[in-house]
Amino acid sequence: MELDRLNSPNTSAIIFEVLGHHLQFSQDPNSKHLGTTVWDASMVLVKFLEKNCRKGRFCPSKLKGKRVIELGAGCGVAGFGMALLGCNVVSTDQIEVLPLLIKNVERNTSRIMQMNPGSDSFGSIQVAELNWGNADHIKAVGPPFDYIIGTDIVYAEHLLEPLFQTMLALSGPKTTILLGYEIRSTNVHDQMLNLWKRNFEVKIVPKAKMDSKYQHPSIQLFMMSLKHSDGNTDHVAQGSDQQVEEVRKSKHGKDKDVDKGSWVDEVDDVGCDKVTEDSMLVTSLQNGKLSEWEARRYGSMAARLLRDIKIT
């Protein structure tokens, strides 16, 4: 395993396989801007698309030509996942992040086209400035979109409302929103869900639908669609290619089955699972077997421990 594959203060680039293409994403972990780092949730989302692209709603034949906007694109990893499935993607972020994003888009687009000359399987990616809540920026990108995507863009309480209003402004009746993020604050997480559920039908993607390697209990993927005015909602998971049975508690304390093929719309308790996952990582280290993904998660686990330690 190459040492420069891990995120550290000295890691200037991440090489990541996206749908069979080894792409290189420049980053700057020393920057004061969070958008200049490749975050793990973007990898989880891309690998989710990769796992579910053979049939169903994410297969290239159904995504070809779909308009996608990525919010808080950062280094641009998630946008390439959709573009490689045939979508026309607009990757957006604040102006301070755009030079790095443009560099990654131009380099990796060139690499993909060189590897597949004459192929029309790759859609397109363009870059645009978009500050959440800015009406001029929103109008300039031309909503509504077929898909809105974003990864690790939920991290601060004061950004929840601008993000929510931006998603509303970019959405139409048939828009699907796919967001992935790592829970770092239960308070922000709860506020986020309450806000989203005002206007959106919110579903959480089951772990069984994710890549078996690129997942973690604290990283969740959400799929959302606008609620109808009559109170009914679009079922964002119609046509899913895997039937997942989940059990949830009814109001009377009895278990009832969720319809097969549907996404679970309740957030799992990540506390116990996180302990189990961290224990598995420790076991892997003791056995001397550590994948690149496990090494990244070790960094996250160490950060959580350091955050909880009070230095006096």
Side-chain angles (χ1 to χ4, degrees):
M1 180 175 61
E2 300 171 1
L3 293 178
D4 61 0
R5 291 294 302 276
L6 307 180
N7 266 342
S8 73
N10 300 318
T11 307
S12 60
I14 295 291
I15 299 174
F16 186 55
E17 182 181 350
V18 181
L19 291 158
H21 297 267
H22 288 84
L23 304 183
Q24 181 174 328
F25 295 95
S26 295
Q27 63 169 12
D28 182 9
N30 290 313
S31 168
K32 295 181 180 180
H33 203 293
L34 296 174
T36 59
T37 297
V38 175
W39 296 97
D40 289 356
S42 63
M43 296 181 171
V44 171
L45 186 144
V46 167
K47 289 300 183 180
F48 161 76
L49 293 173
E50 188 173 79
K51 178 177 179 178
N52 294 278
C53 71
R54 291 174 178 80
K55 58 181 179 179
R57 66 185 297 121
F58 294 113
C59 69
S61 62
K62 292 188 177 181
L63 288 180
K64 182 68 175 177
K66 296 293 186 182
R67 298 184 68 234
V68 178
I69 187 164
E70 181 180 10
L71 301 178
C75 298
V77 176
F80 271 96
M82 296 296 280
L84 282 166
L85 292 172
C87 297
N88 297 319
V89 180
V90 180
S91 292
T92 69
D93 213 311
Q94 296 177 329
I95 193 167
E96 296 86 355
V97 182
L98 295 191
L100 183 64
L101 178 58
I102 291 171
K103 176 182 178 181
N104 285 331
V105 167
E106 291 179 345
R107 175 173 54 201
N108 287 309
T109 298
S110 176
R111 179 174 298 189
I112 291 169
M113 300 309 294
Q114 289 176 7
M115 293 176 61
N116 301 277
S119 173
D120 62 350
S121 61
F122 181 72
S124 65
I125 297 188
Q126 57 179 303
V127 175
E129 178 186 2
L130 198 160
N131 292 323
W132 300 342
N134 186 307
D136 292 333
H137 290 177
I138 293 171
K139 182 179 179 180
V141 295
F145 287 83
D146 297 302
Y147 285 87
I148 300 171
I149 65 172
T151 54
D152 265 329
I153 57 177
V154 178
Y155 54 87
E157 183 177 343
H158 71 279
L159 295 175
L160 293 179
E161 185 66 31
L163 173 60
F164 173 71
Q165 294 299 333
T166 300
M167 291 193 302
L168 278 177
L170 294 170
S171 296
K174 297 183 179 180
T175 300
T176 296
I177 302 174
L178 179 59
L179 299 179
Y181 86 107
E182 182 167 355
I183 300 174
R184 295 177 174 86
S185 166
T186 54
N187 181 50
V188 172
H189 175 74
D190 292 341
Q191 291 186 57
M192 173 200 75
L193 286 179
N194 291 332
L195 193 61
W196 287 355
K197 288 180 179 180
R198 284 192 211 161
N199 294 81
F200 296 104
E201 172 72 5
V202 181
K203 304 287 184 180
I204 185 172
V205 176
K207 299 297 182 183
K209 296 287 291 184
M210 298 183 190
D211 181 90
S212 59
K213 175 181 176 182
Y214 285 89
Q215 61 171 266
H216 189 271
S218 63
I219 298 178
Q220 297 181 336
L221 298 180
F222 292 91
M223 294 184 70
M224 302 188 292
S225 60
L226 279 172
K227 292 181 178 179
H228 290 311
S229 57
D230 60 2
N232 294 326
T233 57
D234 291 325
H235 297 289
V236 298
Q238 287 180 352
S240 62
D241 50 285
Q242 293 186 4
Q243 292 186 334
V244 181
E245 291 188 6
E246 297 283 346
V247 177
R248 60 185 179 186
K249 297 288 185 179
S250 69
K251 293 181 180 179
H252 302 291
K254 297 179 180 179
D255 293 343
K256 64 178 181 179
D257 293 334
V258 177
D259 292 338
K260 292 182 178 180
S262 66
W263 302 97
V264 178
D265 60 355
E266 295 182 355
V267 179
D268 297 330
D269 180 6
V270 302
C272 295
D273 289 339
K274 185 179 294 184
V275 173
T276 302
E277 180 74 10
D278 290 346
S279 299
M280 292 173 62
L281 287 175
V282 172
T283 301
S284 297
L285 182 60
Q286 291 173 343
N287 293 336
K289 299 178 180 179
L290 198 64
S291 69
E292 293 168 0
W293 174 250
E294 289 171 333
R296 290 181 66 90
R297 296 313 305 168
Y298 256 114
S300 176
M301 184 173 67
R304 291 200 306 270
L305 291 172
L306 289 173
R307 180 192 62 194
D308 294 336
I309 294 175
K310 295 182 179 180
I311 300 176
T312 58

